[in-house]
Amino acid sequence: MESITSSRASRRVDPALAVAGSVGDHVATDVPQELLPRKRPTQERSRRKFDALLSSSRDLLTEVGFESFTCEEVASRADVPIGTLYQFFANKYVIVCELNRQDFASVRDELEQFDGVIPSLDWLRFLDSFVDHLAKLWTSDPSRREVWLAMQSTPSTRATGKISEKQLAEKISGMLAPLTPRTPHDRRIMMAEVLVHVVYSMLNFSVQDGQSHSDAVAELKRLMAAYLLVAEKESRGRR
């Protein structure tokens, strides 16, 4: 009985909540938490160190994968003392969450250029162009897939990733409003969340070893176009 109890307790420990230098190096909890940097730099010198750590983290993650990824190696590559790294990041899970925020922020920036196009009669052509652009990001920057995979590793990384997905979905929901004018707001939010999840899943599927990237992207376009065409038709048919 004791071993069963101990086993259950160990399953409640989320490694993403480990704090460097704490007793036992973990917090025993089964409640996922958003993972944020301990602090963000306000001065230029600190900003350079922060950026160097993230850049080195992205390179290391691509080279060795998340399982072999260590804070010590990140600090060494960035030529930054390990103590400085821990001033910003409690552990490697917090680092990868920050990389994930970077990736989502870049997509939101791209969406700013796409905003306003969907209401036009030619929105399908622009949708194709935007998906092609995102697909190039995944092929030109292999770290995106590594970051996405690392985000699936613990309850807290998944919960943190969900926050970024919801923020992107909020933006997409607003863009869908002219296309689905009679669709309730809550339904439109759910549609946007579905789109974000499907797009990210398919893009990461498209760059798996042995997978035809172009074929997977073509299927993604078909899925998105069909989904949005049906949504548009249903919305305009509402009274």
Side-chain angles (χ1 to χ4, degrees):
M1 181 64 69
E2 181 179 350
S3 62
I4 294 176
T5 302
S6 176
S7 176
R8 288 175 177 171
S10 67
R11 286 199 298 270
R12 291 198 295 269
V13 175
D14 185 343
L17 301 180
V19 178
S22 67
V23 177
D25 282 339
H26 65 260
V27 177
T29 178
D30 58 356
V31 180
Q33 299 180 25
E34 182 181 7
L35 303 179
L36 295 164
R38 285 170 161 165
K39 68 176 184 178
R40 295 187 181 277
T42 56
Q43 298 181 347
E44 180 61 28
R45 183 179 178 184
S46 295
R47 166 57 63 182
R48 288 197 298 268
K49 292 179 180 179
F50 188 84
D51 290 345
L53 287 167
L54 290 177
S55 178
S56 296
S57 295
R58 195 174 286 278
D59 291 342
L60 179 61
L61 188 62
T62 304
E63 289 179 27
V64 305
F66 192 57
E67 186 173 345
S68 299
F69 181 98
T70 66
C71 290
E72 289 75 14
E73 181 62 19
V74 169
S76 175
R77 292 188 177 210
D79 196 24
V80 170
I82 187 64
T84 300
L85 182 149
Y86 286 133
Q87 288 177 10
F88 296 121
F89 307 106
N91 54 44
K92 69 178 188 176
Y93 300 92
V94 180
I95 294 176
V96 81
C97 285
E98 189 66 12
L99 294 176
N100 189 61
R101 288 188 192 92
Q102 283 186 338
D103 291 345
F104 269 95
S106 70
V107 173
R108 287 197 300 271
D109 290 344
E110 296 291 341
L111 278 174
E112 292 293 338
Q113 302 177 32
F114 192 62
D115 199 359
V117 171
I118 281 184
S120 77
L121 295 176
D122 209 17
W123 66 268
L124 277 173
R125 180 173 64 84
F126 285 97
L127 178 64
D128 272 8
S129 298
F130 183 65
V131 172
D132 282 339
H133 180 75
L134 289 180
K136 288 180 181 177
L137 292 179
W138 260 254
T139 54
S140 64
D141 182 3
S143 72
R144 285 179 178 269
R145 179 170 184 262
E146 295 301 330
V147 170
W148 185 82
L149 289 173
M151 292 296 293
Q152 315 311 311
S153 60
T154 75
S156 289
T157 52
R158 290 192 294 272
T160 302
K162 188 64 176 178
I163 291 171
S164 294
E165 285 191 13
K166 284 183 174 293
Q167 291 172 344
L168 184 58
E170 286 283 352
K171 173 66 177 174
I172 293 174
S173 174
M175 295 172 64
L176 292 178
L179 187 67
T180 56
R182 297 175 184 170
T183 298
H185 176 72
D186 289 348
R187 172 74 186 281
R188 196 180 297 124
I189 288 289
M190 185 189 71
M191 290 168 54
E193 290 180 352
V194 167
L195 285 170
V196 171
H197 187 76
V198 169
V199 168
Y200 269 75
S201 297
M202 283 294 292
L203 287 174
N204 285 287
F205 170 76
S206 76
V207 293
Q208 289 181 6
D209 293 339
Q211 184 57 249
S212 170
H213 176 70
S214 59
D215 287 348
V217 171
E219 291 304 308
L220 171 59
K221 290 179 181 179
R222 290 178 62 187
L223 284 170
M224 293 181 68
Y227 185 69
L228 291 174
L229 284 168
V230 169
E232 180 185 27
K233 182 178 179 180
E234 288 182 349
S235 182
R236 297 191 186 282
R238 290 174 180 268
R239 292 183 179 180

